[in-house]
Amino acid sequence: MSSIEEEKKQHIVTNVHPILSGDVMSARVENVRSQLEWEPSPEKSGWENFVDSFKRVNVEEIDPNLTIAEKIAIKTARAPLKRRLKNRHLQMIAIGGAIGTGLFVGSGSSLRHSGPAGVLIGYFISATFILCVICGLGELAVEFPVTGGYATYTTRFIDESYGFASNWLLFVGGVSTLPLEMVSASITVNYWGTPKKYRDAFVALFYVVIMGINLFGVKGYGEAEFLFSAIKVTCVIGFIILGIILVCGGGPKGKYIGGTMWKSPNGAFVGNSGAERFKTVITVFVSAAFAYGGVEMTGMAAAETENPRKSIPRAAKQVFWRIAIFYIVALTLIGLLVSHKDPRLIGTSSADAAASPFVIALVSHGIKGLPSLVNVVICIAVLSVGNAGIFGTSRTMVAMVEMGHLPQWTHLNYIDKRGRPLVALGVMAVFGAIAFIAASPKEGLVFTWLLALTGLSTLICWFGISLAHIRFRAALKAQGRGTDELCFASPTGVYGSYYSCTVIAIIVGLTFWTSLWPYKTAPNVSDFFESYLSAPIFLIIYIGHKIYRKNWKIFIPASELDIDTGRRETDIEQLKIDIAQEKAEIATKSFITRFYYWLC
């Protein structure tokens, strides 16, 4: 038996990475981390330090004798990204990514197509499986805070072909998000009667702001997102308070509203028969996925977090509850204040602020001044989502190069001494230039197809996260390991991930039905691909990769999965002691305190 084979055999027994022992691997990763703590040299001029900061951080070569999976695990574990994000940044990054045009504007389309009850059903069911997705992602992100986050987990724990297809879908959707959001912002300013010829000027302004923020590195991104999200959350809370007052009859018109919008002639649902109502409710799920999209950013940011073991579990649970409350309460009030038959909900596009149910609710009930303020917040929301899109997609590109899903000659994994993926940011800047189509007559067509590229991709991404969590738990069991060695075990467990996978699969299947046979519209190719384009793209890439690699396995066998490389905590025995001590301390608390720790 060769020395390499002997070392791989030893890996099964000792549960450390083959070739490198746990101590050696930790030392080499720490060597990379020490390079990250780059500071300007007092012996150099300011210009020299500025130029020096853009130089690439070099890391050691990977042992060529390792397998592809082993190389990927090491590369993504030691990528030289800065660890500057704190818990408050993580909280706001996830909230900021999820509270955007999907809530402020897109919810109006959902209300028009399904009625107030249909909106609540779709968003509530979506919230239940998103809880399971985020908890499973939190468990993986705490154990493996690696480059690319969930973009890496699908390749590592499911199958290379699945990861390849999923990552390319994330890449296509990500590079579409930036121009999509900037075009949205340019449409939003139409609320104040801005001439269309000035749209490119607004695109240029938003373009410079978003790219400038990301050039300040992860710390600049975190601070900007913290500010953006604080503004959005304040707006939603303010609307909830005002909405309750209006529903109770405390508005300028002094009329009690209550549940009148749910009664005839408006009604709680759209459609006359049960089948028609069911079909309209199904259409809400894709809109809800687009609106909730961004909550998974906690997993993407794990590699750049100071203490993922402490920050990510709280962020994963608290962010879910905050967003669910914001959405469910706000949309309940929207359904009470705005009729789903209101013609203003149609708007000129899915980014038209005049079609925002938040703006319509305030205008309809005699509130002056605040509609313009909400419109400003919508512009900030658009910037925030575009900002999060650059952050997530640039890190995805780095991971894709490390995993071999993008060619090395692209240098998209270039990370400078300040931890910025410069080449990836440059690619995002190039694709962002598509947004200058805003002043063109073809703007609406471009916007529609950019939106189509991001449609189902969020649901497919969430399915991959939950499936990766299921496979990770299967690997623990197959290799004689237990959840007692985990820093954070998902409160919803592996059954929660099974639930989310099942519900998402059902939604994707039913969406195929509603896309092929839309409500009140004859079947047509255009409508089908506008809502279902992401699914065939995923299948084509997945099957194509299977054929190219001649890899016919659906899953990597659980016994062969590497569940050690890339872990932030390398001393498993000490970790078990620490976790047991923490649990013992929590057990001494009151029931309310213990329940809060479990919930939040």
Side-chain angles (χ1 to χ4, degrees):
M1 182 181 293
S2 68
S3 61
I4 293 176
E5 290 174 340
E6 183 63 34
E7 286 169 336
K8 288 187 177 183
K9 181 180 178 181
Q10 181 67 17
H11 162 61
I12 299 174
V13 178
T14 61
N15 292 313
V16 298
H17 191 274
I19 309 303
L20 299 177
S21 68
D23 292 338
V24 174
M25 181 61 190
S26 298
R28 292 194 177 182
V29 171
E30 287 304 323
N31 181 47
V32 173
R33 291 170 183 166
S34 67
Q35 297 180 56
L36 296 181
E37 303 307 318
W38 176 86
E39 296 295 340
S41 173
E43 299 176 357
K44 296 182 180 180
S45 66
W47 174 253
E48 288 175 325
N49 280 316
F50 175 74
V51 173
D52 194 44
S53 71
F54 289 91
K55 293 181 179 179
R56 186 172 192 166
V57 173
N58 295 314
V59 295
E60 293 182 17
E61 293 294 326
I62 298 293
D63 190 321
N65 294 310
L66 298 178
T67 66
I68 293 176
E70 290 164 352
K71 291 177 182 178
I72 289 172
I74 294 177
K75 284 182 177 181
T76 54
R78 71 178 193 180
L81 293 169
K82 287 278 188 179
R83 287 193 241 159
R84 294 287 183 85
L85 293 178
K86 302 181 185 296
N87 182 54
R88 64 184 179 89
H89 293 137
L90 275 183
Q91 296 278 350
M92 288 302 186
I93 283 171
I95 292 175
I99 298 180
T101 51
L103 173 62
F104 289 119
V105 183
S107 57
S109 176
S110 296
L111 177 63
R112 180 166 61 91
H113 286 109
S114 63
V119 168
L120 288 181
I121 292 172
Y123 276 80
F124 179 77
I125 292 177
S126 296
T128 61
F129 72 74
I130 288 173
L131 170 62
C132 302
V133 171
I134 297 303
C135 287
L137 175 61
E139 180 179 307
L140 292 174
V142 171
E143 294 302 315
F144 306 95
V146 297
T147 310
Y150 52 83
T152 306
Y153 303 142
T154 50
T155 300
R156 182 168 180 170
F157 297 119
I158 302 175
D159 171 62
E160 187 186 358
S161 296
Y162 190 100
F164 184 84
S166 177
N167 289 339
W168 267 98
L169 196 63
L170 282 172
F171 174 76
V172 172
V175 297
S176 302
T177 297
L178 180 59
L180 175 68
E181 294 299 331
M182 287 195 292
V183 170
S184 299
S186 70
I187 296 174
T188 299
V189 298
N190 286 349
Y191 181 81
W192 295 293
T194 306
K196 189 172 183 178
K197 62 181 180 180
Y198 295 127
R199 281 191 183 175
D200 276 349
F202 280 98
V203 167
L205 175 62
F206 298 138
Y207 184 87
V208 170
V209 170
I210 293 176
M211 294 308 304
I213 288 171
N214 280 272
L215 284 177
F216 277 98
V218 67
K219 185 71 178 292
Y221 164 77
E223 294 296 346
E225 204 57 39
F226 183 85
L227 177 62
F228 289 159
S229 299
I231 294 172
K232 291 185 291 185
V233 169
T234 301
C235 177
V236 175
I237 292 174
F239 176 82
I240 289 174
I241 295 171
L242 179 59
I244 293 172
I245 294 172
L246 292 176
V247 169
C248 295
K253 295 183 179 181
K255 181 181 178 182
Y256 175 76
I257 299 170
T260 55
M261 294 295 180
W262 287 53
K263 300 177 181 177
S264 182
N266 295 305
F269 292 94
V270 172
N272 298 318
S273 66
E276 288 180 345
R277 292 176 178 179
F278 178 73
K279 183 176 285 190
T280 59
V281 171
I282 294 303
T283 63
V284 176
F285 287 101
V286 175
S287 299
F290 179 76
Y292 282 130
V295 294
E296 70 279 357
M297 287 302 295
T298 50
M300 184 64 73
E304 295 167 83
T305 302
E306 284 185 349
N307 189 346
R309 181 187 167 193
K310 298 292 184 182
S311 301
I312 291 177
R314 296 191 64 122
K317 291 186 286 185
Q318 291 182 8
V319 164
F320 164 77
W321 291 114
R322 290 175 187 177
I323 290 177
I325 290 171
F326 289 151
Y327 269 83
I328 301 303
V329 175
L331 291 176
T332 298
L333 292 169
I334 286 295
L336 294 173
L337 294 171
V338 181
S339 168
H340 67 79
K341 295 182 179 180
D342 194 311
R344 289 172 292 181
L345 289 173
I346 298 175
T348 58
S349 77
S350 57
D352 187 356
S356 167
F358 287 78
V359 173
I360 293 172
L362 297 176
V363 171
S364 298
H365 297 282
I367 304 298
K368 306 292 184 181
L370 287 182
S372 288
L373 181 61
V374 170
N375 197 56
V376 171
V377 175
I378 292 174
C379 285
I380 292 174
V382 168
L383 288 174
S384 176
V385 174
N387 196 33
I390 289 183
F391 178 85
T393 307
S394 62
R395 274 63 181 175
T396 298
M397 283 189 244
V398 171
M400 288 178 72
V401 174
E402 301 289 15
M403 290 185 285
H405 297 171
L406 281 170
Q408 288 285 342
W409 56 260
T410 61
H411 295 292
L412 287 170
N413 60 337
Y414 183 105
I415 298 174
D416 69 9
K417 292 185 177 181
R418 288 197 178 275
R420 297 169 295 198
L422 286 181
V423 178
L425 290 176
V427 170
M428 291 301 295
V430 171
F431 277 96
I434 296 173
F436 287 99
I437 199 74
S440 166
K442 299 291 185 180
E443 171 215 35
L445 181 64
V446 173
F447 185 91
T448 297
W449 287 106
L450 285 174
L451 189 62
L453 288 171
T454 62
L456 282 176
S457 59
T458 302
L459 283 170
I460 294 172
C461 166
W462 289 341
F463 182 88
I465 290 171
S466 291
L467 186 57
H469 179 239
I470 291 171
R471 297 301 301 159
F472 171 64
R473 286 294 188 92
L476 282 176
K477 183 177 181 180
Q479 297 177 31
R481 313 270 285 273
T483 56
D484 59 333
E485 68 180 51
L486 301 179
C487 299
F488 166 67
S490 167
T492 56
V494 69
Y495 294 108
S497 292
Y498 275 114
Y499 167 75
S500 58
C501 282
T502 302
V503 175
I504 292 172
I506 292 172
I507 290 171
V508 172
L510 291 174
T511 302
F512 176 83
W513 171 52
T514 58
S515 300
L516 202 56
W517 290 280
Y519 173 64
K520 286 190 175 180
T521 305
N524 62 89
V525 174
S526 179
D527 283 350
F528 175 78
F529 282 110
E530 281 181 21
S531 59
Y532 215 74
L533 181 60
S534 298
I537 288 176
F538 175 82
L539 287 175
I540 290 170
I541 298 174
Y542 176 78
I543 295 172
H545 189 270
K546 285 285 184 188
I547 294 172
Y548 178 77
R549 289 287 193 184
K550 297 181 180 179
N551 168 27
W552 309 117
K553 292 185 294 186
I554 301 299
F555 299 119
I556 301 172
S559 59
E560 298 177 13
L561 290 173
D562 178 6
I563 56 176
D564 290 293
T565 304
R567 281 192 171 185
R568 186 71 59 92
E569 302 287 348
T570 56
D571 190 337
I572 300 298
E573 293 306 317
Q574 182 59 47
L575 177 63
K576 289 181 179 180
I577 295 172
D578 293 342
I579 293 174
Q581 184 177 353
E582 291 171 4
K583 289 181 177 179
E585 291 176 358
I586 294 174
T588 62
K589 307 291 184 181
S590 65
F591 171 77
I592 295 176
T593 303
R594 294 199 308 273
F595 181 74
Y596 175 79
Y597 273 109
W598 177 83
L599 192 66
C600 302

